[in-house]
Coordinates of all heavy atoms in Angstrom, one line a residue:
E1 N 0.8 -1.2 0.0 CA 0.0 0.0 0.0 C 1.0 1.3 -0.1 O 0.4 2.3 -0.6 CB -0.9 0.0 1.3 CG -0.3 -0.1 2.6 CD -0.3 -1.5 3.0 OE1 -0.2 -2.5 2.2 OE2 -0.3 -1.7 4.3
I2 N 2.0 1.2 0.6 CA 2.9 2.3 0.5 C 3.5 2.5 -0.8 O 3.5 3.6 -1.4 CB 4.2 2.1 1.5 CG1 3.7 2.0 3.0 CG2 5.1 3.3 1.5 CD1 2.9 3.2 3.6
K3 N 3.9 1.4 -1.5 CA 4.4 1.5 -2.9 C 3.3 2.2 -3.8 O 3.6 2.9 -4.7 CB 4.9 0.2 -3.3 CG 6.2 -0.3 -2.7 CD 6.5 -1.7 -3.0 CE 6.8 -1.9 -4.5 NZ 7.2 -3.2 -4.9
E4 N 2.0 1.7 -3.5 CA 1.0 2.1 -4.3 C 0.8 3.6 -4.4 O 0.6 4.4 -5.3 CB -0.3 1.5 -3.9 CG -1.5 1.9 -4.8 CD -2.9 1.2 -4.3 OE1 -2.6 0.4 -3.4 OE2 -3.9 1.4 -5.0
L5 N 0.9 4.1 -3.0 CA 0.8 5.7 -2.8 C 1.8 6.3 -3.3 O 1.8 7.4 -4.0 CB 0.6 5.8 -1.2 CG -0.7 5.6 -0.7 CD1 -0.5 5.5 0.9 CD2 -1.7 6.6 -0.9
V6 N 3.2 5.9 -3.3 CA 4.3 6.6 -3.9 C 4.2 6.6 -5.3 O 4.4 7.7 -6.0 CB 5.6 5.8 -3.5 CG1 6.9 6.2 -4.3 CG2 6.0 5.8 -2.0
T7 N 3.6 5.5 -6.0 CA 3.4 5.5 -7.4 C 2.3 6.5 -7.8 O 2.4 7.2 -8.8 CB 3.2 4.1 -7.9 OG1 4.3 3.3 -7.5 CG2 3.0 4.1 -9.4
L8 N 1.3 6.5 -7.0 CA 0.1 7.2 -7.3 C 0.4 8.7 -7.4 O 0.0 9.4 -8.3 CB -1.1 7.0 -6.3 CG -2.2 7.9 -6.4 CD1 -3.2 7.5 -7.5 CD2 -3.0 7.9 -5.2
F9 N 1.1 9.1 -6.6 CA 1.5 10.5 -6.4 C 2.9 11.0 -7.2 O 3.3 12.1 -7.2 CB 1.6 11.1 -4.9 CG 0.4 11.1 -4.2 CD1 0.0 10.2 -3.3 CD2 -0.4 12.2 -4.4 CE1 -1.1 10.3 -2.6 CE2 -1.7 12.4 -3.8 CZ -2.0 11.5 -2.9
G10 N 3.4 9.9 -7.9 CA 4.6 10.2 -8.7 C 5.7 10.8 -7.9 O 6.5 11.7 -8.3
L11 N 6.1 10.1 -6.7 CA 7.0 10.7 -5.9 C 8.5 10.1 -6.0 O 9.5 10.6 -5.5 CB 6.7 10.4 -4.3 CG 5.3 10.9 -3.9 CD1 5.1 10.6 -2.4 CD2 5.3 12.4 -4.2
E12 N 8.5 9.1 -6.9 CA 9.9 8.5 -7.1 C 11.0 9.5 -7.6 O 12.1 9.4 -7.2 CB 9.8 7.2 -8.2 CG 9.0 6.0 -7.6 CD 7.6 6.2 -8.2 OE1 7.1 7.2 -8.5 OE2 6.9 5.2 -8.1
N13 N 10.6 10.3 -8.4 CA 11.5 11.2 -9.0 C 12.0 12.3 -8.1 O 12.7 13.2 -8.4 CB 11.0 11.9 -10.3 CG 10.7 10.9 -11.5 OD1 11.4 9.9 -11.4 ND2 9.8 11.2 -12.4
L14 N 11.3 12.4 -6.9 CA 11.6 13.4 -6.0 C 12.3 12.9 -4.8 O 12.7 13.7 -3.8 CB 10.2 14.0 -5.4 CG 9.3 14.5 -6.5 CD1 8.0 15.0 -5.7 CD2 9.9 15.7 -7.2
F15 N 12.8 11.6 -4.8 CA 13.3 10.9 -3.5 C 14.6 11.7 -3.2 O 14.8 11.8 -1.9 CB 13.8 9.4 -3.9 CG 12.7 8.5 -3.8 CD1 12.8 7.2 -4.1 CD2 11.4 8.8 -3.3 CE1 11.8 6.3 -4.0 CE2 10.4 8.0 -3.1 CZ 10.6 6.6 -3.5
D16 N 15.4 12.2 -4.1 CA 16.7 12.8 -3.6 C 16.6 14.2 -3.3 O 17.6 14.9 -3.0 CB 17.7 12.5 -4.6 CG 18.1 11.1 -4.9 OD1 17.9 10.4 -3.8 OD2 18.4 10.6 -6.0
R17 N 15.4 15.0 -3.5 CA 15.2 16.3 -3.3 C 15.0 16.6 -2.0 O 14.4 15.8 -1.2 CB 14.1 16.8 -4.1 CG 14.2 16.6 -5.7 CD 15.0 17.7 -6.3 NE 14.3 19.0 -6.2 CZ 13.3 19.4 -7.0 NH1 12.8 18.8 -8.0 NH2 12.7 20.7 -6.7
H18 N 15.6 17.7 -1.5 CA 15.2 18.3 -0.2 C 13.8 18.7 -0.2 O 13.4 19.5 -1.1 CB 16.3 19.4 0.3 CG 16.2 19.8 1.8 ND1 15.0 20.5 2.2 CD2 17.0 19.5 2.7 CE1 15.3 20.6 3.6 NE2 16.5 20.1 3.8
P19 N 13.1 18.6 0.9 CA 11.7 18.8 0.8 C 11.4 20.4 0.7 O 10.4 20.9 0.1 CB 11.1 18.4 2.3 CG 11.9 17.3 2.5 CD 13.4 17.5 2.1
H20 N 12.4 21.2 1.2 CA 12.0 22.6 1.1 C 12.5 23.1 -0.3 O 12.2 24.3 -0.7 CB 12.9 23.3 2.2 CG 12.4 23.2 3.5 ND1 12.8 23.8 4.7 CD2 11.3 22.3 4.1 CE1 12.2 23.5 5.7 NE2 11.4 22.6 5.4
D21 N 13.1 22.3 -1.2 CA 13.4 22.7 -2.6 C 12.3 22.3 -3.5 O 12.3 22.7 -4.7 CB 14.7 22.1 -3.1 CG 15.9 22.7 -2.4 OD1 15.8 23.9 -2.0 OD2 16.8 22.0 -2.4
L22 N 11.1 21.7 -2.9 CA 10.1 21.2 -3.9 C 9.1 22.4 -4.2 O 9.1 23.3 -3.5 CB 9.3 20.1 -3.2 CG 10.0 18.8 -2.7 CD1 9.0 18.0 -2.0 CD2 10.6 18.2 -3.9
S23 N 8.4 22.3 -5.3 CA 7.5 23.2 -5.6 C 6.3 23.1 -4.7 O 6.1 22.0 -3.9 CB 6.9 23.1 -7.1 OG 6.1 21.9 -7.2
G24 N 5.3 24.1 -4.6 CA 4.2 23.9 -3.8 C 3.3 22.7 -4.0 O 2.9 22.2 -3.0
G25 N 3.0 22.3 -5.2 CA 2.3 21.1 -5.6 C 3.2 19.9 -5.2 O 2.5 19.0 -4.8
E26 N 4.5 19.9 -5.4 CA 5.2 18.8 -4.9 C 5.1 18.5 -3.4 O 5.0 17.4 -3.0 CB 6.5 18.8 -5.4 CG 6.7 18.7 -7.0 CD 8.0 19.1 -7.5 OE1 8.7 19.9 -6.8 OE2 8.4 18.6 -8.7
I27 N 5.1 19.7 -2.7 CA 5.2 19.6 -1.3 C 3.7 19.0 -0.8 O 3.7 18.2 0.1 CB 5.3 21.1 -0.6 CG1 6.7 21.4 -0.7 CG2 4.8 21.0 0.9 CD1 7.0 22.9 -0.3
Q28 N 2.6 19.4 -1.4 CA 1.3 19.0 -1.1 C 1.2 17.4 -1.4 O 0.7 16.7 -0.6 CB 0.3 19.6 -2.0 CG 0.0 21.1 -1.6 CD -0.7 21.2 -0.3 OE1 -0.1 21.6 0.7 NE2 -2.0 20.7 -0.1
K29 N 1.8 17.0 -2.4 CA 1.7 15.6 -2.8 C 2.5 14.6 -1.8 O 2.0 13.7 -1.3 CB 2.3 15.3 -4.2 CG 1.3 15.7 -5.4 CD 1.6 15.3 -6.6 CE 3.0 15.8 -7.2 NZ 3.2 15.3 -8.7
V30 N 3.7 15.1 -1.4 CA 4.5 14.4 -0.3 C 3.8 14.3 1.1 O 3.6 13.4 1.6 CB 5.9 15.0 -0.3 CG1 6.6 14.3 0.9 CG2 6.6 14.9 -1.6
A31 N 3.1 15.6 1.4 CA 2.5 15.5 2.7 C 1.3 14.7 2.7 O 1.0 14.1 3.6 CB 2.2 17.1 3.0
L32 N 0.5 14.6 1.6 CA -0.7 13.9 1.5 C -0.3 12.4 1.6 O -1.0 11.7 2.1 CB -1.6 14.2 0.3 CG -2.4 15.5 0.2 CD1 -2.9 15.8 -1.2 CD2 -3.6 15.1 1.2
A33 N 0.7 12.1 0.8 CA 1.0 10.7 0.8 C 1.5 10.2 2.3 O 1.1 9.0 2.7 CB 2.3 10.4 -0.1
C34 N 2.2 11.0 2.9 CA 2.6 10.7 4.5 C 1.4 10.5 5.3 O 1.4 9.7 6.2 CB 3.4 11.8 4.9 SG 5.2 11.8 4.2
L35 N 0.4 11.4 5.0 CA -0.9 11.4 5.8 C -1.6 10.0 5.5 O -2.0 9.4 6.6 CB -1.8 12.6 5.4 CG -3.1 12.5 6.1 CD1 -3.1 12.7 7.5 CD2 -4.0 13.7 5.5
L36 N -1.5 9.7 4.4 CA -2.4 8.4 3.9 C -1.6 7.1 4.3 O -2.2 6.0 4.5 CB -2.6 8.4 2.4 CG -3.6 9.4 1.9 CD1 -3.7 9.5 0.5 CD2 -4.9 9.3 2.6
F37 N -0.3 7.3 4.7 CA 0.4 6.1 5.2 C -0.3 5.6 6.5 O -0.1 4.4 6.8 CB 2.0 6.4 5.5 CG 2.8 6.6 4.3 CD1 2.2 6.3 3.1 CD2 4.1 6.8 4.4 CE1 3.1 6.5 1.8 CE2 5.0 6.9 3.4 CZ 4.5 6.8 2.0
T38 N -0.8 6.4 7.3 CA -1.3 6.2 8.5 C -2.7 5.6 8.6 O -3.2 4.9 9.4 CB -1.5 7.3 9.6 OG1 -2.4 8.3 8.9 CG2 -0.1 8.0 9.7
D39 N -3.2 5.6 7.3 CA -4.6 4.9 7.0 C -5.6 5.3 8.0 O -6.3 4.4 8.7 CB -4.5 3.4 6.9 CG -5.8 2.7 6.3 OD1 -6.4 3.3 5.5 OD2 -6.0 1.6 6.7
P40 N -5.9 6.6 8.4 CA -6.9 7.0 9.3 C -8.4 6.8 8.8 O -8.7 6.8 7.6 CB -6.6 8.5 9.5 CG -6.1 9.0 8.2 CD -5.3 7.7 7.7
S41 N -9.3 6.7 9.7 CA -10.7 6.6 9.4 C -11.3 7.8 8.9 O -12.2 8.0 8.1 CB -11.5 6.1 10.6 OG -11.2 4.8 11.1
V42 N -10.9 9.0 9.5 CA -11.3 10.3 9.0 C -10.2 11.2 8.6 O -9.1 11.1 9.2 CB -12.0 11.0 10.2 CG1 -12.5 12.5 9.9 CG2 -13.0 10.1 10.9
L43 N -10.4 11.9 7.4 CA -9.3 12.7 6.9 C -9.8 14.2 7.0 O -10.9 14.5 6.5 CB -9.0 12.4 5.4 CG -8.4 11.1 5.0 CD1 -8.5 10.9 3.6 CD2 -7.1 10.8 5.7
L44 N -8.9 15.0 7.8 CA -9.2 16.4 7.9 C -8.0 17.0 7.1 O -7.1 17.1 7.5 CB -9.2 16.8 9.3 CG -10.4 16.2 10.2 CD1 -10.1 16.4 11.7 CD2 -11.7 16.8 9.9
I45 N -8.5 17.8 6.0 CA -7.6 18.3 5.1 C -7.9 19.8 4.8 O -8.9 20.1 4.4 CB -7.6 17.6 3.7 CG1 -7.7 16.0 3.9 CG2 -6.3 18.0 3.0 CD1 -7.8 15.2 2.6
D46 N -6.8 20.6 5.0 CA -7.0 22.1 4.9 C -6.2 22.5 3.7 O -5.0 22.4 3.5 CB -6.3 22.7 6.1 CG -6.8 24.1 6.4 OD1 -7.5 24.8 5.4 OD2 -6.6 24.8 7.3

C-alpha cells in the first residue's frame, strides 16, 4: 500500500530532493502521501 501511494503521487523522481526545494504542488503531494500512510478513518484536510 505504501508503494501504491508513492506511485500514485509520482514521488519516485523526488526521492533525492530536499523537501524545502520542492514546488508547492510537490510539497502537497508528499505531505498527502505521508498522511495516507497512517490509514486513518477520518481525513481532515486544509
Side-chain angles (χ1 to χ4, degrees):
E1 58 265 33
I2 300 297
K3 291 174 67 177
E4 181 183 3
L5 283 167
V6 169
T7 301
L8 173 74
F9 286 103
L11 303 182
E12 295 94 338
N13 294 333
L14 304 178
F15 275 179
D16 296 329
R17 297 276 295 277
H18 193 289
H20 289 191
D21 288 337
L22 301 178
S23 71
E26 290 166 338
I27 288 172
Q28 286 293 108
K29 290 196 289 186
V30 174
L32 278 168
C34 289
L35 172 65
L36 294 175
F37 283 4
T38 63
D39 194 29
S41 301
V42 181
L43 297 176
L44 294 165
I45 316 175
D46 199 350

